[in-house]
Amino acid sequence: MNNVFHKFFRNFYLRTNGFIPTWPLNQYIYPGDFFQIRNGEMIPLGNIYRTGIINRDDADFGYGIQLNPSSWDFYEGVTKPYSGRSSGHNPLEGDFQFSKQVLAFDAPGSFLFKGNNPESVKILNWNDLGPSLIIKLTQVFYSFREVYVVTECATTSDWTLAISSSERGELEIATDSENFGLVNIFGHSDAKTIQSKDIEYYHREGKRKPSFFKAKKLVIQNERLDQFVNQLIAEREFKNDWASQFFDYSFDYDPINYRTHISPNAQACLLDTLKANELNPNTALMYFRWEDANLDDVEKLFISYGN
């Protein structure tokens, strides 16, 4: 993903209590969708209800859940060097008044976001579905080691986003609505763009598209992860001794003990070291659990193998 979106995605997660925008922006995403993140991309793989992984009779949703509207109006690195009322003349309609604002962006990635009337659709019985989904997604229907399942999607009646590509970004907007005066007109349906400079992304969405979500991610159980790490450490501690005896060559090494950090991205690889059939439908719950998607997962959207 273009790193100019980084500030917006991080702020969005923090300000909206854990919601994440889709990537690319303005895509459709629904409760039950499952996906992976690969090379900075969201790869959609299916929906647990549509594919029959979960029966329709077991679906339980909350609809139109009201979200805090103040959490969906935020910005970073934006000032208003001008905000006021001006007048103009139209040959057909005569003189008219309009509100005008100039928005200045102070750095690449500085942004302004405004979403109105946010609400969500949520899986209400996730705790009942979670254990069976682990078995079905890792053993029965698929053999996932990493996967995300959307548990809630959010919509707004409309939203507007502007992101700058430089420290000289600027937007000049205006509206002739009488009831605005000097208040913020960014995101209003009647606002028009007079001119812009160094704006990377500027979009207003006027429909309730499900473009924001919360998700659960599949992770290894803490106890099992500790076992894997301890075993790996033990093997590495004695690897040099083994190598000096096995190879007919004098390698230099320091016989010291050290701890090894296993990143979340590498956890799934540890399962590949299991013996054949050790991970099966009867043991899957011993190895996996669900965890809320968080800022670490947002960061994955900005990591590509080419960088």
Side-chain angles (χ1 to χ4, degrees):
M1 184 196 296
N2 188 337
N3 283 336
V4 77
F5 291 87
H6 193 192
K7 294 178 183 178
F8 169 66
F9 269 71
R10 283 184 58 86
N11 273 269
F12 198 100
Y13 175 87
L14 295 171
R15 298 296 188 93
T16 62
N17 191 32
F19 281 97
I20 302 171
T22 56
W23 183 254
L25 286 169
N26 211 25
Q27 301 300 301
Y28 300 124
I29 196 163
Y30 302 98
D33 283 357
F34 55 95
F35 64 92
Q36 291 181 327
I37 299 177
R38 289 282 185 265
N39 197 26
E41 295 184 46
M42 289 179 59
I43 310 298
L45 300 171
N47 185 286
I48 60 175
Y49 302 103
R50 186 180 184 187
T51 56
I53 297 174
I54 298 297
N55 294 327
R56 181 66 180 86
D57 294 340
D58 295 327
D60 185 11
F61 300 104
Y63 295 100
I65 300 172
Q66 299 299 304
L67 304 174
N68 184 358
S70 64
S71 299
W72 291 68
D73 184 357
F74 53 92
Y75 63 91
E76 181 178 316
V78 180
T79 58
K80 301 174 186 176
Y82 177 82
S83 182
R85 296 282 290 177
S86 298
S87 61
H89 181 78
N90 186 305
L92 298 178
E93 300 178 0
D95 295 334
F96 63 93
Q97 296 285 319
F98 63 93
S99 297
K100 185 174 76 170
Q101 286 185 339
V102 175
L103 305 172
F105 300 76
D106 65 9
S110 294
F111 69 89
L112 185 63
F113 174 81
K114 182 175 179 58
N116 292 310
N117 308 306
E119 58 185 43
S120 73
V121 177
K122 181 179 182 179
I123 298 176
L124 296 180
N125 60 336
W126 173 261
N127 289 338
D128 298 327
L129 303 179
S132 65
L133 272 177
I134 288 177
I135 297 172
K136 291 176 179 179
L137 292 177
T138 66
Q139 301 298 311
V140 180
F141 290 89
Y142 301 95
S143 56
F144 289 125
R145 298 296 181 264
E146 297 181 32
V147 72
Y148 298 82
V149 178
V150 176
T151 57
E152 186 174 5
C153 71
T155 67
T156 62
S157 59
D158 60 88
W159 60 264
T160 308
L161 171 65
I163 302 178
S164 176
S165 61
S166 79
E167 68 279 3
R168 299 179 299 275
E170 187 174 281
L171 264 180
E172 186 176 349
I173 55 179
T175 179
D176 57 4
S177 296
E178 292 292 335
N179 60 334
F180 269 83
L182 299 181
V183 301
N184 186 16
I185 61 176
F186 179 81
H188 189 257
S189 59
D190 292 333
K192 301 293 190 297
T193 302
I194 299 175
Q195 64 178 358
S196 65
K197 181 176 69 175
D198 291 353
I199 298 299
E200 175 76 16
Y201 183 88
Y202 184 40
H203 178 76
R204 185 179 190 278
E205 176 55 55
K207 298 180 180 179
R208 280 199 175 275
K209 293 183 179 180
S211 300
F212 316 101
F213 68 92
K214 290 184 178 182
K216 297 285 187 178
K217 61 179 177 180
L218 192 68
V219 297
I220 300 177
Q221 289 278 15
N222 291 332
E223 292 182 0
R224 294 294 176 177
L225 182 59
D226 290 340
Q227 292 178 11
F228 284 133
V229 172
N230 291 334
Q231 186 177 29
L232 179 61
I233 291 173
E235 291 178 354
R236 289 193 175 186
E237 285 179 347
F238 297 103
K239 182 179 181 180
N240 292 331
D241 292 336
W242 166 84
S244 65
Q245 298 178 28
F246 183 82
F247 296 103
D248 189 17
Y249 189 83
S250 297
F251 292 103
D252 292 326
Y253 67 91
D254 295 322
I256 59 175
N257 296 332
Y258 58 90
R259 305 292 294 178
T260 300
H261 171 70
I262 304 298
S263 71
N265 295 339
Q267 292 181 12
C269 299
L270 296 175
L271 294 175
D272 294 336
T273 65
L274 291 175
K275 297 178 181 179
N277 298 322
E278 189 172 346
L279 179 59
N280 57 61
N282 295 321
T283 63
L285 296 182
M286 297 171 56
Y287 287 94
F288 293 105
R289 62 184 174 88
W290 293 109
E291 184 177 281
D292 291 335
N294 54 40
L295 274 180
D296 289 338
D297 305 291
V298 173
E299 293 298 323
K300 288 183 180 180
L301 295 172
F302 298 91
I303 298 174
S304 63
Y305 304 139
N307 292 337

